[in-house]
């Protein structure tokens, strides 16, 4: 299996495109630091009739709520290679607004940047999820590379 994203390639992608981004677009407003879970995945989510809860708080930290919400969208709602249904995204965002009053400041400003950052998780764990997807590995590898380039081009 071809290596799609190593730690060094993540740094290379990130460094190359953040430099390009800072030259080509205004810097988004600074994000506030709030308590975030850090690993909102299906395995760390408990669904009950009276609500949803999170377990496994070992990755909790003071972090950016925009990144947390964008990563949560990717982790919970998007299958590799597919887009999340609009109604699920709308429900997640409505629930966030209901609890927090509004989406985090900078949610729209940081969309392209965190779209690329969150996809590093997808590419970085390729060898874990790819065997479970009913598509040829080579096709998935090509998709990951194209998708990362597309997301980075949006910055």
């Amino acid at each position: 299996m071809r290596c799609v994203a190593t730690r060094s390639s993540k740094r290379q992608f990130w460094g190359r495109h953040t430099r390009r981004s800072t030259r080509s677009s205004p810097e988004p407003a600074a994000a506030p630091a709030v308590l975030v879970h850090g690993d909102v995945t299906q395995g760390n989510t408990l669904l009950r009739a009276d609500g949803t809860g999170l377990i496994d708080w070992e990755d909790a930290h003071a972090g950016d709520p925009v990144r947390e919400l964008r990563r949560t969208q990717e982790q919970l709602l998007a299958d590799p290679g597919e887009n999340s249904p609009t109604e699920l995204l709308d429900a997640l965002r409505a629930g966030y607004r209901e609890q927090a009053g509004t989406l985090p400041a900078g949610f729209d400003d940081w969309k392209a940047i965190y779209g690329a950052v969150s996809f590093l998780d997808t590419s970085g764990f390729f060898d874990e999820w790819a065997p479970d997807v009913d598509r040829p590995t080579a096709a998935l590898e090509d998709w990951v590379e194209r998708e990362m380039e597309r997301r980075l081009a949006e910055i």
Side-chain angles (χ1 to χ4, degrees):
M1 182 181 316
R2 175 170 83 201
C3 182
V4 177
T6 62
R7 288 187 190 272
S8 63
S9 69
K10 288 181 184 182
R11 283 191 287 273
Q12 174 192 2
F13 273 134
W14 183 247
R16 178 170 41 122
H17 291 284
T18 53
R19 283 190 297 277
R20 183 179 73 192
S21 171
T22 57
R23 288 191 304 267
S24 64
S25 42
E27 186 174 322
V34 300
L35 177 64
V36 296
H37 182 272
D39 192 22
V40 180
T41 62
Q42 288 182 357
N44 291 337
T45 306
L46 296 176
L47 301 175
R48 296 178 14 164
D50 62 342
T52 303
L54 297 174
I55 60 171
D56 190 11
W57 284 81
E58 66 190 32
D59 291 332
H61 61 280
D64 178 0
V66 173
R67 182 183 186 279
E68 182 81 347
L69 184 55
R70 293 242 175 243
R71 186 172 186 273
T72 298
Q73 289 176 178
E74 292 277 336
Q75 293 288 327
L76 294 179
L77 303 180
D79 291 327
E82 299 180 24
N83 293 320
S84 297
T86 303
E87 60 272 10
L88 293 177
L89 286 172
D90 291 345
L92 175 66
R93 292 173 187 165
Y96 191 98
R97 283 187 196 99
E98 182 179 314
Q99 295 300 311
T102 186
L103 291 176
F107 185 77
D108 292 324
D109 297 337
W110 288 89
K111 179 180 180 181
I113 292 170
Y114 283 138
V117 169
S118 65
F119 196 71
L120 288 172
D121 289 336
T122 300
S123 62
F125 291 101
F126 182 85
D127 58 339
E128 292 180 23
W129 62 261
D132 297 327
V133 177
D134 189 25
R135 288 177 60 194
T137 301
L140 290 172
E141 290 170 344
D142 291 342
W143 171 77
V144 167
E145 289 182 5
R146 283 191 319 274
E147 182 63 14
M148 179 56 83
E149 288 298 329
R150 183 192 68 76
R151 289 178 184 226
L152 290 170
E154 290 180 357
I155 299 175

